[in-house]
């Protein structure tokens, strides 16, 4: 499966969807989040972290570009809003995170440019007021396996 889309009404529903996605994730998966300010990327990330059994609070890593959490796997949460140049990522050991074990979630994924890995679960969030559409696209074997599990456990 390469595409799946969801509709939510309100942040709680987006967070619950995130939890479902989190339960379907396995290590070595990268989740690339697209959507403007206030789209719901951090809200979804909170749910994903919960689905990965992360006990601590997840909020936007505003001043650091990355937060690390320990759930049933390591969870690396990047927020690239303040990134000026994708090359800066290389100084943050970005490739060790993205290509290592663990789950990497990237807000403002478009700012990583061509440093996004080939196999990633892309999630595009659009909408207004309390409505959001979340379009999931898999671009390789790891991310496709996630969509397969999600479509079975509807
Ligand atoms: P981002 O990380 O993309 O900037 P946040 O998750 O921090 O966005 O904020 C999303 C905002 O949109 C919150 O204020 C939330 O209450 C609001 N919101 C309203 N409806 C939804 C929805 N269906 N899903 C997610 N957030 C929603
Ligand atoms: Mg955010």
């Amino acid at each position: 499966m390469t595409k799946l889309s969801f509709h939510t009404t309100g942040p709680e529903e987006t967070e619950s969807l995130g939890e479902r996605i989190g339960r379907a994730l396995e290590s070595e998966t990268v989740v690339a989040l697209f959507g403007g300010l206030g789209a719901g990327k951090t809200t979804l990330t909170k749910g994903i972290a919960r689905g990965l059994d992360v006990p601590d609070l997840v909020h936007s890593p505003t001043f650091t570009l990355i937060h690390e959490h320990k759930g049933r796997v390591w969870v690396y949460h990047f927020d690239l809003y303040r990134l000026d140049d994708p090359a800066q990522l290389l100084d943050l050991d970005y490739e060790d995170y993205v290509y290592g074990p663990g789950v990497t979630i990237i807000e403002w994924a478009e700012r990583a440019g061509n440093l996004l890995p080939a196999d990633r679960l892309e999630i595009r969030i659009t909408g207004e007021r309390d409505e959001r559409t979340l379009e999931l696209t898999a671009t390789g074997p790891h991310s496709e396996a996630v969509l397969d599990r999600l479509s079975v456990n509807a």
Side-chain angles (χ1 to χ4, degrees):
M1 167 137 333
T2 58
K3 274 186 192 292
L4 207 51
S5 99
F6 297 92
H7 187 80
T8 67
T9 307
E12 300 79 11
E13 277 186 30
T14 296
E15 199 171 327
S16 306
L17 172 64
E19 191 174 349
R20 257 184 73 196
I21 294 170
R23 285 198 298 266
L25 286 173
E26 293 295 345
S27 60
E28 293 180 59
T29 309
V30 175
V31 180
L33 300 179
F34 301 87
L37 264 184
K41 300 179 296 299
T42 301
T43 304
L44 186 74
T45 301
K46 283 181 182 156
I48 294 175
R50 184 140 43 91
L52 287 163
D53 304 324
V54 169
D56 38 317
L57 265 185
V58 170
H59 43 84
S60 257
T62 308
F63 296 108
T64 46
L65 290 171
I66 175 159
H67 279 179
E68 301 185 14
H69 304 274
K70 182 89 172 89
R72 66 178 159 81
V73 296
W74 276 102
V75 181
Y76 308 117
H77 178 202
F78 282 88
D79 187 325
L80 304 186
Y81 184 60
R82 286 164 199 280
L83 187 78
D84 302 317
D85 177 353
Q88 285 178 281
L89 286 174
L90 302 176
D91 297 331
L92 296 171
D93 298 326
Y94 167 84
E95 292 184 307
D96 293 341
Y97 290 114
V98 163
Y99 294 104
V103 166
T104 304
I105 305 167
I106 309 174
E107 297 192 44
W108 296 99
E110 61 269 45
R111 304 204 174 176
N114 58 18
L115 290 180
L116 277 182
D119 184 353
R120 62 206 183 230
L121 179 63
E122 299 189 339
I123 304 183
R124 290 195 163 66
I125 312 177
T126 53
E128 51 191 20
R129 291 183 291 277
D130 287 347
E131 311 278 324
R132 296 290 186 278
T133 299
L134 296 99
E135 290 181 322
L136 282 55
T137 306
T139 66
H142 275 109
S143 47
E144 278 176 22
V146 177
L147 289 194
D148 289 342
R149 284 191 288 274
L150 265 179
S151 62
V152 173
N153 304 314

